[in-house]
Amino acid sequence: MNGAEIPVSYVIVLTLLLFSIGMLGVLTRKNIIVIFMSVEIMLNSVNLLFVAFSRFWNDLSGEMAVFFVMAIAAAEAAIGLALVISLHRKFHTVDITEIKELKN
Amino acid sequence: MEWYQSEILWSLIKILVLFFLIITGAGYYTLMERKGAGYFQLRYGPNRAGIWGIFQPLADGIKFLLKQETLPKHVDVYLFLLAPAISVITAVLLWSTIPFTPLIDLPFEVLGKSQVALQVLNPGSGILLLFAISSLSVYGVMLAGWSSNNKYSLLGAVRSTAQMISYELSLSLSIIGVIMMAGHFDLYRIIEAQNENGWFFLSVPGFLGFFVFIVALFAETNRLPFDLAEAESELVVGFHTEYGAFKFALFFVAEYMNMITVSFLTVILFFGGWNIPFFLRDMVSGMWWGPLVGVLFFVFKAMFFMFLFIWVRWSLPRFRYDQLMNIGWKYLLPMALIQIFMAGIYLYLK
Amino acid sequence: MENIREILFFLFAFVMMGASFGVILHKNPVKSALFLVVFFVSLASLYGVLGAEFLAVLQVLVYVGAIMVLFLFVIMLIAVRDENFENIGANKGKTMVVFLLVLAFTMQFAALASVLSSDDKINTKTEYSKTIDSAQNLTIEGNAEVLSFHLFEKYILPFELISIVLLIGVIGAVVIAKKNRRRLE
Amino acid sequence: MNEILLIAAIWLPFLGFLANGLLSLKKEPASQKLVSIFGVGSVLISFLIFIFLTFAENTAIVSQSGFSAMFFTWINVGTLSADFAYKLDGLSVFMAWIVTGIGMLIHIYSTGYMEEEKPHFARFFAYLNLFIFAMLHLVLGDSLPLLFLGWEGVGLCSYLLIGFDYDKDFAAVAGKKAFITNRIGDAGFIIGMFLLFQLTGSLKYDEIYGFFGANSVDASTLNIIALCLFVGAMGKSAQIPLYVWLPDAMAGPTPVSALIHAATMVTAGVFMIARLAPVFLGAPEASTVIAFVGGFTALLSALIALTQTDIKKVLAYSTVSQLGYMFMAMGVGAYGAGMFHLMTHAFFKALLFLGSGAVILALHHEQDMRRMGGLYKHVKLLAILFWVAAVAISGIPGLSGFFSKDMILEMAYTFANGGKILFLLGFMTAILTSFYIFRLIFLTFHTSGDAVKKMEEGGSHGHGHDEHGHHSHHSGLVPLGWNIMGPLVVLGVLSVFGGYVGLPHIITHKTPGIVGYFDQVLSVAPSKAAESWHQHIEGSTAWLLMLASIGVAFLGLFTAWFFYQKQNKVPAEDSVKRSFFVHLSFNKFFVDEIYEKILLNPLKKIADLSYKIIDVKIIDASIDYLGKITLLIGSYMRRLQTGVTPNYALYIVSGTVVIAFIVFGGLN
Amino acid sequence: MNPDKDIKSTASVTEKEMPGVIKTGTLPDGRMTINLGPSHPATHGILENHVILDGEKIEECIPVIGYVHRTFEKMGEHYGYNQFLVCTDRMNYISTPMNNIGWILAVENMLGIEVPAKVTVIRMIMSELSRIIDHIISMGILGVDLGAFASFLYMFHKREEVYDIIDKLTGARLTNTFCRVGGLERDVYPEFVKDVKYFLKTFPKVLKENDKLLTKSRIFYERTKDAGKISAQRALEYGFTGPNLRAAGVNFDVRVDNPYMFYDQVKFDIPVGETGAVYDRFLVRVEEMQQSMGIIRQLIDNIPEGSYHADVPHVYLPEKNKVYTSMEDLIYHFKIIMQGIKIPRGQFYSSTEAANGELAFTIISRGEKSPWRLRVRRPCFWYYQAFPELVKGGFLADAIANMSSLNVIAGELDG
């Protein structure tokens, strides 16, 4: 195993694609939970980029960032899902297009 | 390097040996459970297939294999079939990270090697990887429950998930003291540290950690008094209500495999793994087969915990859902945190 | 064996692409979540390939072991039905706009990648993950130790803050999800 | 060790406050025993610590320097630094004794007095403890900022305690009045403080003393500073023209009146002047003003007190009057005499207030003296104690008040700038004092009327100001427990013997003990103080003065006896038309009404005008137009708001794409 | 859970909320409906409960009965008085002798037959033995439903011994039909006293083991101490009797309050609980077993000599060999077989304390060979009414524990 092997540009392209897929999911899906999951995809694609650059520059700060993002994501998932539950309790649906409280 | 000295071949052999061991082990563990239960309840347990029912596991296996495979109409087929597989795969993967022997210096060469250790994979992140894999095992239960499309199964799955979320935290925290005292994630290092300083079980944080660990283990392996996911009097049999024949056997075997693995893990973390207690250690030191005696002790210690699982199961009633949560969050978690704190004090005093 | 990491990279990359499409295209949220599990597992593997082995384990532990379990728990708890995809076809204009926008987005940022030539390679060198008998002694290299020094010395303040954030998250989740005494309607 | 003890003594009441404050938050009333233990215990321990510190060997308190204890740094900006540091010297230990000692007695008294107030018991004690805490900061702080902190703290507590029955209008109004009036004084105080800082470059007493010791300052500068500071003292210590809040402050529970509005807080101004003696010594004109303001205050409020019918109102005006005496002493440079009177006054006025509280309590919250009388038969001990206090305040020889009052009059007499006038003012006040206080005694305890009978007949009258709505049982007097009578007896003993620390020189032929003490501890200007003493009047004149004041005291006693005992006169009902002077006095010389006419109404008109022009026409209008424009834009933008979340996400993405175009410049 | 709530609230699920009642599914607001039974491991016998779950909490519970409805009462109106015995066997089939005795006492009282003391003593011993085996089942099943299997089997071991005794005595283990109007079917076998004494000697040991495994188990205690609480007032309103009523704190026992047989001549205590919760019911049953053993101990050495039936030839079938040899007996045999036992006109009520509560028979006779109207008070029926109230607001697992500890026997419940 001789050190440098994977071109960093590959990873960038991969993360871009993943990020865009996640974004598509956020924009097109109606189920809040699925949208939430798509957000997780976006988040993780950025994480991947962090890791790649961290290895690329040999600076562990990037990996630290991923570490912190994971911790935040855990908190965010807990809060988000709690919100989903209370939304569902109120509207009896998780379809985001049916929840239009913002309008009125 | 000759062809037979290849790492891959060597790993393959170890994988085969260990796989055979776990499958037979799980089989005979079921026999042990049934015999044990029998004696606990004033009856004999299996005694027809061979003396002491020694062929019972084989008979059971054949029976499960030959039974008609049924696939209920209303299930989600792929996930329904995937669930037992996940259970078994994670169980076997877990098994692969357990170090069973120290590095043994053989007086002769086997396949061009004179040093042997029976472990398929020794990851750098050691016990963390073990927990990562074990956290996957909940998917087996969860998918089985969901894909069965059955109320009882779903309730079982939901219970199991909640239980897993609650107890995995305590489980992970309970070993932090051990990791702090050993100074490493690596299972070898943990055992070696105990070789030098005595079993972690005997230190205050280690004892507390062990207590939390063993309780959380019962919950993680879905054993009584925490077997809410398959509480037969409430949920029929919970998540595997719709399973039969070999698919059920896979769940069954996976449960026993997990119990064996965690028994070994308990010994590694708190009871010094293959380390030989008392004066016996001096008697065998220097001999090349000395470590093999250690392995024998290792297995015996693990057997004790395997027995403990049986013992507890046939003696205690089951908890209720809210009690389960209470214990997890209000007792085990604080205790685990105290344990970490005490480990800090312990290290500071040292 | 020389370019095994590259092969693995492409393997996991394609699995991840497929899984992420699965997430956003599957009707059933449970299946979506399972695709996401696959996505996370292969992402963890990709971390391993890139040499961030500790993060790989962490990814599985945190995302697969905790977050996704939570997701599935919630989906099961509120018994989500399959999503109706018919409306997407009905609103073609909006869908087109969405696709175009995302495409534009991708193209814009793809420009970034072109800055780096394919000669810039990632250093994946770490000494870990070896079977015990090939390492003659018990020393095993991993990046956990280096990482921990970073974590507890350089980033100690963020680390503490994160712990507070997590605590708030836990309390917040409990408060939000706690049922009101009176049932709605 | 001593430092820690000192800090502990100051912060203990705070702990008491915290404990009782937390207890008061409970939904059901906390255990009164627990609250009493916290409340009384903390002050008691603090008092014991002060005793210990006073007699401890190495504290060197009875000296000019004393010792200080640093707690923590509070403010540190530029050259201004203020710490939570405490200074225990002769002056402050004297005050600390009074504050904690009398405070403790009043705490004990309150456990009895407030017993019925079950829901607010803990809250009351929390406020009292907080007051002690603030007051200790006021007297023990080693710098002006800390004094000011305590100054404001006691103000706050006073406000809270006056408005203790905040659900009653008059209490809330009185609280506000006290607070606002004090703010006027505070403004002057702060200005004075700033000027002093500008002059000396520090706010620490030691450094200020050092500055005055080293430099001689122009008197005109000091005059301004002194006057500004005196404005502050006017507010806190209720001098003309800011005295109006004090009589109204009697809306608070009686122990509060005793503790805050008689014994301790209101003397803060006197204390402040003593503390900053170098400033005032260097400002003769300002001192003269102080002396005259004090004198006039004494006279005016004594005049008002003559005709009041509310027992607590009489005492309140009496307090104002006595405070006037103290300021007179301060103004003529007799700091020792002023502080002496502060102490004796604390004793007998606390006794009077607590005694009146006992009367009020015994009579089911009846405060009107017209409905009292003949109480002597029922509460003998209380009547005796009242007599003791009255004799003390009226200046009849042998009891504490005589010595201190006489000393002040003597000192005033010798004052260079209009000393005779001052003496005359004080002299007249003395007559009046004696009259109104014995009038109170006769009306309450001795007239042929029988309060108990009146009370039972006119049961429905309960409109006294301290009325608490407990009229369910009107049969007989409310029994007074040991925790009410105990403190009264202690205070009675003090009122009798408290004066002997300052026997006049004409008897002992040397400097009175207390004056010597203060000469020593205020040694910042020993020459000045000593000078004023040594150029003392002839012995015969002193005897004469003393005899005169004794005479007027007895005159007042006799007059009061004649009118109210002999002739059995009861003050007329409110509605009855009175002769002009009585009318004037009864209505407090219409000071409140005058303030309203002269000050409040013009202010209100200006405020109204500026609201109509500036607020409505300029500020509001411009905002309205901004709003209208925004509305216009909003009516178009509203269509973007579909309420569907993914659409918003879409806008975000569009924005990102646009920004990316700008940043990366297209698709290259 | 508030047991003093209005009884109406137990059936507040409207048709709209739970369409078709029997259907399972998910309600629109996410609540789940499941069927506990009719074939569920925890419903011993065939009981059906429609349960609405909110998470794990039970919001509504609607019991459905009638799966084992066998029209005993109507059958009784066509059978002869001795023939109806086999029906009583099948009511509470885990303590059959008590049902027999209850019925026979009713008939004998109507006829005014005085049976020999020996018969009564043996009937009492049988009663108490069957009370013990009934409680063994009830307690053991409670353990099983809570997941503790061992204790159940320990006790069942001893239960088998009692069954052996019954087997030897009557020739059948479960449905023994041992009593007859006017006496017993046959005399006791010679080792009867020895067998019973052996049982009395060994059973306390098992009870002690049971104490260790369940009574003193912290988990068991926590599981059961709050489950299914019911106030004494409410229990009375529901018509509770027997151990379940006593667990709620009401000191009522037919054996004491309205003594029959020789219960007024033996000494025993009546255990009374406090909260009426599952744990109290459990403890009351444990103590009742001790008391039953005490009663048997007092009786077993004092079985009087004498005949095993009263001398009432028109009621009690003559011995078979006498039928062949004696004319008189042949006639009686013929009359009893062909015409049955005739009972004078009138209405009669008799109640006994069965293992599960007050078992009472109301007979209206018009002088025929069978009652004109028969009504049986089956204790379970009253317990089961309270089931929804007991479980509502509790956890699913509590419902299971409740069902076991109420000891609802389907055969008795459905009649």
Side-chain angles (χ1 to χ4, degrees), chain A residues 6 14 18 48, chain C residues 4-20 38-50:
Chain A
I6 300 160
L14 176 64
L18 291 176
L48 179 57
Chain C
I4 184 152
R5 276 173 190 274
E6 211 167 333
I7 295 169
L8 284 176
F9 173 81
F10 277 108
L11 174 68
F12 290 125
F14 280 113
V15 172
M16 277 165 75
M17 298 278 285
S20 51
V38 174
F39 174 86
F40 284 143
V41 171
S42 37
L43 182 61
S45 314
L46 206 53
Y47 285 167
V49 171
L50 291 178

Side-chain angles (χ1 to χ4, degrees), chain E residues 17 93 108 181 406:
Chain E
E17 239 186 315
Y93 39 71
E108 281 174 359
V181 180
L406 283 178

